[in-house]
Amino acid sequence: MEKFIKHTGSGVPLRRSNVDTDQIIPAVYLKRVTRNGFEDGLFSAWRSDPEFVLNKEEFKSGTVLVAGPEFGTGSSREHAVWALQNYGFKAVISSRFADIFRGNSLKGGLLTVILPQEAVEALWVAIESNPATAITVDLETRTVTYNDVTVAFELDDYTRWRLMEGLDDIGLTLKHTDSIDAFEAKRPSYKPKTLPIRV
Amino acid sequence: MGKTLAEKIWEDHIVRSAAGEPDLLYIDLQLIHEVTSAQAFDGLRLAGRQVRRPDLTIATEDHNTPTIDILKPIADPVSKLQIDTLRNNAKEFGIRIHSLGDADQGVVHVVGPQLGITQPGMTIVCGDSHTSTHGAFGAIAFGIGTSEVEHVLATQTLPSSRPKTMAINVEGTLKTGVTAKDIILAIIAQIGTGGGQGYIIEYRGSAIRELSMEGRMTVCNMSIEAGARAGLIAPDQKTFDYIKGKPHAPEDFAAAQSYWETLFTDADAKFDVEITLNADELEPFVTWGTNPGQGLPLNASVPNPAEIKDSEERGAAERALQYMGLEAGTPLKKIAIDTVFLGSCTNGRIEDLRAAASVLEGKKIAPKLRMLVVPGSERVRQQAMKEGLDKVFIDAGAEWRNAGCSMCLGMNPDQLAVGERSASTSNRNFEGRQGKGGRTHLVSPLVAAATAIRGTLSSPADL
Ligand code: SF4
């Protein structure tokens, strides 16, 4: 995973709440067996509308998505994170994210930043009045900065450290194989197994 | 102080905990399907890793499988690629798989319980958000993303931060015609699609105890629609009886049961949040909008967004009505339906099929309406045919299909056309969920059947 320390880019204002993962990437686009190439499915239903924000010239190069509350509800599909990343987004800002989507994003290195709704509104206004507004998301200081505004956000130390180091979760867990072995040795024998098959 | 059920199960599965880090949780069972696993197996292969516990893993094909002509080669080349990829991965990594045509193929959350491998006190994950279904047995069961699927395959554990606990007490007695589906739709309408965010919900109270195991699965299934990480119900005699005799019921049943009997929330435990609902007052519930929280009793009318105070919600309601092609003030019962879908992991089990068949028996569905009946699993299909339910559906004019997710997510050819309106027993009414431009109203199996007969949203009492 790529390290995330700090990112500066322009924003894309998505003034919608409850953007579920079926909107981020509809099921018909989930058929690939790789992790790339999902950008064509991103917000596909809305992208047929020329007025949709991603179709506007001034927002085409945005890398920071600024969305309404309850972003990423619904299906657990990690393809939603891949689609956003494949398209070029590095960070998503919202006042509330659905749990599974947030987990997926932070595991995959797409930084999801929670800001108060007033801060999101102010950011929307700033981007809409000047689409070139540079937004910096800084994990070191845990802040979002644009123009002369700086807003702090929270992220637990562990996740922050993992993102800044670009560490793979599986590798980290495998360091504790001894604890897993010890746990398994004590598991009760009545716990079900899928193999051998019983009928 | 005592512990809640969720806390007990959580603590029983901690492999390692360290200050400032998420708990490393042992996972008792992982369910796999074709859509969210390919990239996980690929990751293992690239890193030269093995599946740690193939004997705690099981795969089936459901999300993207056809529900007709299942023994012919799959027509859609991409679907075929996904299915072939899953089959090859299962073979390479030694994982049990139930493929199309197999007696145990079906929607992953129907398959686990019917095999008896879903049991109380377990931690269960799957790359599918409706994994919460298994919580009906008193298990912590939750949906995960593909990277986490890979993590569990490689380590049989998952780093997870401990959710908060919420109790939803449903007290009282349901009226005739009011079902588990109506309970959960009413809960979501009350607490909202984000109301459960960060919580494990425990459903409690007399109305929950009264539900059958299948009804409890319907309730837990839609916990995710309330934003919750998981939902569960304390196991009781009904739970034990349901598992007994299933292929993977514990051999030492007594030992297992004596553990299961410790799985309840202690009298002096405290939940972070408690909510109470009166079951006596519940009515059949339907959704009118494009998120599962936008629901109302069937006797109500389409709401007027202008009367909604919260500006976010007002905007969402306006957009929903526009997408759904509905006028504020229209009685819900006047809404004409083109397609009825009976199936999914929410309502595709045998009791759901029986309930719908009891309404349709000897009747015909409305002219021009199509009704798809898609059993949740091949076993459910076989059982329904043994009981003659297939004939009831076919005689009524419905299509009787093979098992799978089908129109619940519209990934295979079972989709709504642009502007087509469905009454669906599934769990999501998002824009385009059942096909681009399709409009979905979530309903119970009883409402689905009555709606199929009358052609407008209806309950059996309207017949
Ligand atoms: S039936 Fe629907 S909700 Fe259930 S697993 Fe399949 S797609 Fe997901």
Side-chain angles (χ1 to χ4, degrees), chain B residues 267-437:
Chain B
D268 56 345
K270 249 190 90 62
F271 290 93
D272 295 303
V273 179
E274 278 205 57
I275 289 168
T276 299
L277 225 77
N278 185 348
D280 303 339
E281 289 170 3
L282 289 180
E283 297 285 337
F285 232 76
V286 299
T287 61
W288 51 267
T290 53
N291 76 54
Q294 292 173 323
L296 281 170
L298 184 55
N299 284 321
S301 298
V302 175
N304 185 352
E307 289 166 11
I308 300 175
K309 284 200 192 69
D310 181 271
S311 72
E312 274 301 333
E313 264 181 53
R314 191 185 325 121
E318 279 165 2
R319 202 157 27 235
L321 291 197
Q322 194 190 11
Y323 180 85
M324 294 294 288
L326 293 174
E327 292 280 342
T330 311
L332 293 170
K333 285 192 177 169
K334 290 248 159 74
I335 297 173
I337 298 295
D338 307 303
T339 293
V340 170
F341 172 64
L342 176 64
S344 87
C345 60
T346 314
N347 284 126
R349 284 172 289 267
I350 190 69
E351 288 179 10
D352 302 310
L353 268 44
R354 284 182 192 138
S358 73
V359 177
L360 283 165
E361 177 119 55
K363 304 218 168 56
K364 293 272 179 229
I365 64 172
K368 286 206 215 126
L369 183 141
R370 82 170 154 154
M371 179 172 185
L372 245 59
V373 184
V374 183
S377 72
E378 177 61 18
R379 265 189 210 222
V380 170
R381 200 177 80 94
Q382 297 291 349
Q383 178 63 31
M385 294 197 308
K386 221 188 269 168
E387 298 176 21
L389 305 185
D390 56 327
K391 296 226 171 50
V392 174
F393 291 121
I394 293 166
D395 290 349
E399 295 176 41
W400 174 249
R401 295 293 188 89
N402 286 98
C405 295
S406 175
M407 197 181 268
C408 173
L409 88 165
M411 191 162 177
N412 78 352
D414 306 341
Q415 297 187 11
L416 294 180
V418 175
E420 201 177 340
R421 189 182 296 281
S422 79
S424 175
T425 65
S426 56
N427 43 54
R428 285 190 175 138
N429 52 345
F430 298 153
E431 289 181 20
R433 168 79 176 182
Q434 299 190 292
K436 194 171 178 186

Side-chain angles (χ1 to χ4, degrees), chain B residues 62-136:
Chain B
D62 58 0
H63 279 63
N64 198 8
T65 52
T67 54
I68 38 175
D69 298 333
I70 58 163
L71 295 176
K72 290 197 193 143
I74 298 173
D76 176 352
V78 251
S79 307
K80 184 172 180 317
L81 175 65
Q82 277 185 326
I83 299 283
D84 288 345
T85 305
L86 179 67
R87 291 179 185 173
N88 291 336
N89 284 330
K91 198 161 164 216
E92 179 181 341
F93 290 95
I95 291 169
R96 169 175 178 182
I97 181 168
H98 294 289
S99 290
L100 278 180
D102 179 311
D104 280 306
Q105 177 268 339
V107 181
V108 62
H109 310 308
V110 179
V111 169
Q114 76 185 13
L115 286 173
I117 44 175
T118 296
Q119 295 177 12
M122 292 173 71
T123 46
I124 301 176
V125 297
C126 173
D128 182 279
S129 55
H130 292 96
T131 309
S132 56
T133 313
H134 306 263

Side-chain angles (χ1 to χ4, degrees), chain A residues 15-18 20-23 26-35 38 44-46 48 68-70 73-79 82 96-100 103-104 107-108 117 121 124 156-159 168-171 173-174 176-177 179-181 183-184 187 190-199, chain B residues 12-16 20-22 24 26 28-29 35 38-39 49 52-58 64 76 78 82 85 94 96 117 119 121-122 127-129 143-148 150-151 154-155 157 193-194 197-198 224 227 229 247-251 255-256 259 291 312 319 409-411 415 428 430-431 433:
Chain A
R15 283 189 179 263
R16 288 180 189 242
S17 60
N18 261 300
D20 56 75
T21 50
D22 277 83
Q23 305 312 321
V28 288
Y29 285 93
L30 305 185
K31 296 176 182 177
R32 251 180 228 104
V33 293
T34 56
R35 279 178 200 249
F38 289 101
S44 80
W46 296 337
S48 53
E70 313 298 353
T73 55
S75 151
S76 63
R77 59 188 70 155
E78 196 161 325
H79 312 68
W82 302 332
R96 275 167 85 93
F97 291 96
D99 288 339
I100 301 181
N104 286 343
K107 274 196 195 249
Q117 187 58 28
E121 304 266 355
W124 276 336
D156 66 274
D157 292 340
Y158 178 78
T159 308
D168 153 29
D169 250 350
I170 298 179
T173 297
L174 287 174
H176 303 299
T177 304
S179 316
I180 304 173
D181 292 342
F183 185 93
E184 280 183 339
R187 277 181 90 230
Y190 54 73
K191 290 268 182 180
K193 292 198 176 106
T194 57
L195 294 170
I197 297 178
R198 292 205 244 146
V199 283
Chain B
D12 279 349
H13 289 84
I14 296 177
V15 171
R16 180 179 174 274
E21 289 184 31
L24 189 63
Y26 197 81
D28 289 320
L29 176 68
V35 177
Q39 292 87 353
R49 289 171 178 146
R52 182 178 172 97
R53 294 296 301 264
D55 61 335
L56 302 183
T57 312
I58 187 169
N64 198 8
D76 176 352
V78 251
Q82 277 185 326
T85 305
R96 169 175 178 182
I117 44 175
Q119 295 177 12
M122 292 173 71
D128 182 279
S129 55
I144 57 178
T146 300
S147 301
E148 292 174 310
E150 183 181 340
H151 196 286
T155 69
T157 64
T193 53
Q197 204 181 314
I224 184 71
R229 194 82 178 98
H248 284 269
E251 268 159 3
Y259 168 58
N291 76 54
E312 274 301 333
R319 202 157 27 235
L409 88 165
M411 191 162 177
Q415 297 187 11
R428 285 190 175 138
F430 298 153
E431 289 181 20
R433 168 79 176 182

